[in-house]
Amino acid sequence: MQSVEDPFAGRRRNWRVRSPKTLVATLSVLLLFIVLGIFGSQIAPEDPFKLDLVGRLQAPFFAAEGSLDHPLGTDDLGRDTLSRLIYGARISLLAIVMVIPLATVIGSILGILAGWFGGWTSRGIMALVDLQLAMPAILIAVFLRAIWEPSLSNVVIVLVFALWATFARLVRGETLGLKEREFIIAARTIGANDLRIMVRHVLPSLVNSIVILATLNVATVVIAEAGLSFLGVGIAQDSISWGIMISQGRGVIVTAWWLVTVPGIAIILVSLVVNLFGDWLRDFLDPQLRNVQR
Amino acid sequence: MRSELGATAVGRLLRSIAVVFGVVSIVFFLSRGAGDPVSRLAPIDATQQEIEEAKERYGLNDPMIEQYGRFLWDIVRLEFGQSFRATRPATEVVGERLVATIQLGAAGLVVAFAIGIPLGIVAAVRRGGVTDILSRIGALFGQAVPNFWLGLMLILFVALYIDWIPTGGRTTPQSIILPAITLGSFPAAAVMRFTRSAMLDTLQQDYIRTARAKGLTERAVLFKHALRNSMLAVVTLLGLQVGNILSGAIIVETVFAWPGLGQLIIQSIVATDYPVVQASVLLTSVWIVFINLVVDVSYTFIDPRIRTGAI
């Protein structure tokens, strides 16, 4: 107990991806999610909008009264839960594909500018960061909902607004550190201009950290999209998102527990494997970056 | 050195004021974009002329820049006007809901720290032990579980098995149990991880070895020496959580029909009740900015090295 060194170093792998087997499992789930997100409409066994009032609120197959006709049961309008779940993957995937690159690029550019030029540039950009921190993103979502009809682009705007600052802070901090390094000073000495140094020398040294942070934010996007759609300020209520499925199942939660439980488990599973993958990537790319802010 | 400290404090304060100014400006333009409250709130049989008169009375026909100027001046005087919906002063409406949110937020923080700190300490002291492994797995799941879903699962469980805990509203003292657990469980994971790593850092310091070498009991070493010095990190985190808890509260209040500020903000935006939206969002952002300021200042008291610029 008193020993200073970590007795578990090197064999601590219960919950982290260390062995190839766990990595393969993680990647398989991730791949499944991506495939379902892209080809969901071809894979889904039924039309997710097809109503069947006679066969409504059927239990999933593992429950006592369930059957394999609808493996994950049906909702209060008789729609097939499994098919809706598969369709729902698309919105999560779309949100990730749109939000993460935008937030990463905007945050990184502002962060590198703030770090490199310092002074008023830095003060101005950091004031924007402060502004973001002082305004819960969910409020922006509600405002946008009042201005425009609900749509995926509202979700994207809100989440980019919520996430860019994390990237800006990380990149600014690392740029500040790099500025004093010999290779940057050397580049400056031979007369390279600011833009060239930032693009050719600073940015390549930051790519690892940026990629890791982006990966670690993917789960945030999945959870936040579901949360906004659940509150009714995300995508339109007649489209299919895991958050909307949960909100629609709310009314019948006690009689039809699977309607809330199943999409929630999908969200957890995706977030979990993405985070595990992010942890693995972090250890793989840069072991020193263990404490990067998530 | 003293004047330097003063200058930093003034700089910080100016920055905070600038942030609040930015937030209220964003709120002003977003809420003007959200629609025209008079047409929406007017009775169905109101004539076009009556609507125009009402707009004139509320100053909604003036140029935007003039409305903005008046809005800023009102805020400086802390004058938010009448709620369009409740026809009472907006501050009164906000004040009523604030109490409920403060209760919920405080209860959530108590849950977070009451779970997080002890688990973090045990996990650090018995590193690699059962508590350590379980709580780290818990933290991993904590980052993957949406809190509205956790809330619904608690409702499901309680509705089926525990009949003395209400699953919504704010009627009995027990009403707060489920929302507080839901709100507190996610910060709890963060508090746990923070406490653990702070304790691990501290336990490796030379003065801990010295304390042990001079024969202090393990208890004294842990609580008097290690724990106290680990608390700096935890205080920072407390600040962050106090600021963040409001965003969490918005979702949790919706799930449990808790009549707090978060619910009020959402309802008022949907109903284009500008005065209430403005008063409550201003309050929220001032709160967050103020907390960040307090955290920065309290640093310098807890750790004098920050004041002297040594770290």
Side-chain angles (χ1 to χ4, degrees):
Chain A
M1 188 166 88
Q2 266 93 344
S3 78
V4 171
E5 66 272 16
D6 182 3
F8 278 74
R11 56 191 184 93
R12 202 184 339 148
R13 56 182 164 79
N14 299 1
W15 55 88
R16 282 205 152 181
V17 179
R18 282 287 148 77
S19 69
K21 246 188 241 163
T22 11
L23 181 62
V24 168
T26 305
L27 288 178
S28 317
V29 178
L30 214 53
L31 193 70
L32 177 70
F33 166 64
I34 295 172
V35 168
L36 289 181
I38 298 174
F39 302 108
S41 46
Q42 279 94 39
I43 296 172
E46 285 191 37
D47 175 3
F49 295 102
K50 197 184 81 196
L51 306 181
D52 174 16
L53 291 180
V54 180
R56 66 180 197 266
L57 295 182
Q58 288 181 33
F61 74 92
F62 46 84
E65 62 274 32
S67 74
L68 276 172
D69 294 349
H70 297 284
L72 293 178
T74 57
D75 67 6
D76 50 342
L77 297 173
R79 297 173 298 195
D80 183 47
T81 309
L82 176 64
S83 304
R84 293 178 72 73
L85 197 70
I86 292 173
Y87 269 75
R90 166 163 305 181
I91 290 290
S92 300
L93 191 64
L94 275 176
I96 296 169
V97 169
M98 290 158 91
V99 171
I100 294 291
L102 273 175
T104 308
V105 169
I106 295 175
S108 305
I109 290 178
L110 289 176
I112 208 169
L113 290 176
W116 183 255
F117 289 110
W120 282 104
T121 317
S122 170
R123 252 167 258 167
I125 291 170
M126 292 324 277
L128 288 180
V129 170
D130 283 354
L131 201 62
Q132 188 274 320
L133 291 178
M135 223 179 152
I138 202 161
L139 291 183
I140 305 282
V142 184
F143 274 116
L144 291 188
R145 170 67 190 84
I147 300 175
W148 295 311
E149 285 304 300
S151 71
L152 186 61
S153 46
N154 286 10
V155 175
V156 172
I157 295 173
V158 169
L159 293 185
V160 169
F161 171 83
L163 292 181
W164 71 272
T166 328
F167 289 92
R169 274 188 300 177
L170 173 87
V171 170
R172 174 177 170 270
E174 300 220 338
T175 308
L176 282 176
L178 282 175
K179 252 165 98 172
E180 310 302 324
R181 297 274 296 275
E182 285 85 356
F183 72 100
I184 299 289
I185 297 174
R188 223 199 264 243
T189 317
I190 59 170
N193 64 25
D194 288 327
L195 183 67
R196 187 183 167 84
I197 299 178
M198 280 190 280
V199 175
R200 298 293 297 271
H201 300 283
V202 178
L203 197 59
S205 319
L206 297 180
V207 164
N208 279 0
S209 327
I210 294 175
V211 168
I212 292 164
L213 189 63
T215 321
L216 292 176
N217 270 305
V218 168
T220 314
V221 172
V222 173
I223 293 174
E225 182 278 316
L228 294 174
S229 298
F230 170 78
L231 282 180
V233 296
I235 70 163
Q237 290 293 304
D238 54 4
S239 38
I240 302 175
S241 139
W242 292 340
I244 286 177
M245 290 175 72
I246 293 177
S247 119
Q248 286 169 345
R250 236 180 115 179
V252 287
I253 184 167
V254 178
T255 46
W257 50 268
W258 60 92
L259 292 180
V260 168
T261 315
V262 166
I265 291 174
I267 297 170
I268 296 172
L269 203 59
V270 170
S271 312
L272 205 59
V273 293
V274 169
N275 280 342
L276 284 172
F277 178 69
D279 281 345
W280 172 82
L281 196 67
R282 175 170 54 184
D283 292 351
F284 179 75
L285 289 179
D286 188 354
Q288 289 178 338
L289 219 76
R290 288 275 161 82
N291 294 321
V292 68
Q293 199 187 355
R294 348 183 35 154
Chain B
M1 202 212 85
R2 169 157 298 195
S3 64
E4 207 175 282
L5 183 64
T8 325
V10 170
R12 273 234 143 263
L13 198 64
L14 285 178
R15 199 165 131 189
S16 305
I17 293 173
V19 169
V20 172
F21 171 76
V23 170
V24 297
S25 304
I26 292 178
V27 168
F28 174 82
F29 288 108
L30 280 180
S31 55
R32 289 308 184 265
D36 162 23
V38 173
S39 329
R40 203 176 289 197
L41 292 169
I44 302 175
D45 56 350
T47 62
Q48 196 57 41
Q49 196 193 349
E50 281 170 334
I51 290 181
E52 278 308 311
E53 276 170 19
K55 276 192 184 172
E56 200 59 48
R57 194 163 58 242
Y58 287 115
L60 294 170
N61 284 337
D62 300 340
M64 198 57 100
I65 189 78
E66 208 179 306
Q67 290 188 43
Y68 179 55
R70 202 164 51 224
F71 165 74
L72 289 181
W73 175 235
D74 283 349
I75 282 183
V76 173
R77 293 181 298 144
L78 293 180
E79 187 64 59
F80 294 96
Q82 298 272 316
S83 158
F84 293 158
R85 263 195 324 164
T87 54
R88 286 185 296 150
T91 38
E92 204 179 293
V93 178
V94 172
E96 283 165 9
R97 299 297 195 96
L98 189 60
V99 181
T101 291
I102 290 177
Q103 276 179 357
L104 177 59
L109 285 176
V110 168
V111 169
F113 282 79
I115 296 175
I117 292 186
L119 279 184
I121 294 172
V122 176
V125 173
R126 304 202 189 286
R127 186 172 191 182
V130 178
T131 320
D132 191 16
I133 292 173
L134 283 184
S135 51
R136 286 180 72 176
I137 292 176
L140 190 64
F141 269 92
Q143 287 165 335
V145 180
N147 64 351
F148 63 94
W149 187 79
L150 177 70
L152 291 172
M153 288 297 107
L154 288 175
I155 289 180
L156 179 60
F157 180 75
V158 165
L160 288 178
Y161 301 110
I162 309 174
D163 53 6
W164 54 271
I165 301 181
T167 53
R170 179 167 170 259
T171 43
T172 59
Q174 296 97 290
S175 296
I176 204 168
I177 297 178
L178 293 188
I181 294 176
T182 310
L183 189 59
S185 56
F186 293 92
V191 172
M192 196 288 288
R193 294 190 332 159
F194 239 72
T195 310
R196 178 180 180 277
S197 71
M199 277 296 273
L200 281 177
D201 276 355
T202 316
L203 285 173
Q204 297 184 2
Q205 301 295 321
D206 289 343
Y207 63 78
I208 297 293
R209 195 172 37 198
T210 311
R212 285 197 178 116
K214 75 179 181 184
L216 288 184
T217 59
E218 193 57 28
R219 195 190 170 84
V221 173
L222 281 182
F223 287 95
K224 287 206 166 158
H225 294 257
L227 189 57
R228 268 195 207 181
N229 285 299
S230 309
M231 281 302 117
L232 174 65
V234 179
V235 167
T236 319
L237 189 70
L238 176 66
L240 283 174
Q241 297 299 339
V242 169
N244 284 338
I245 205 111
L246 271 171
S247 342
I250 295 179
I251 287 197
V252 173
E253 285 175 7
T254 312
V255 171
F256 291 98
W258 185 262
L261 201 58
Q263 230 194 12
L264 178 72
I265 294 179
I266 292 190
Q267 289 164 354
S268 307
I269 293 176
V270 173
T272 58
D273 193 348
Y274 300 164
V276 174
V277 174
Q278 282 153 3
S280 39
V281 174
L282 179 73
L283 190 72
T284 313
S285 61
V286 168
W287 169 248
I288 297 174
V289 170
F290 172 73
I291 292 295
N292 286 338
L293 200 64
V294 169
V295 170
D296 278 359
V297 173
S298 60
Y299 262 175
T300 55
F301 281 102
I302 297 176
D303 192 338
R305 283 175 304 171
I306 293 175
R307 195 162 35 200
T308 56
I311 54 174

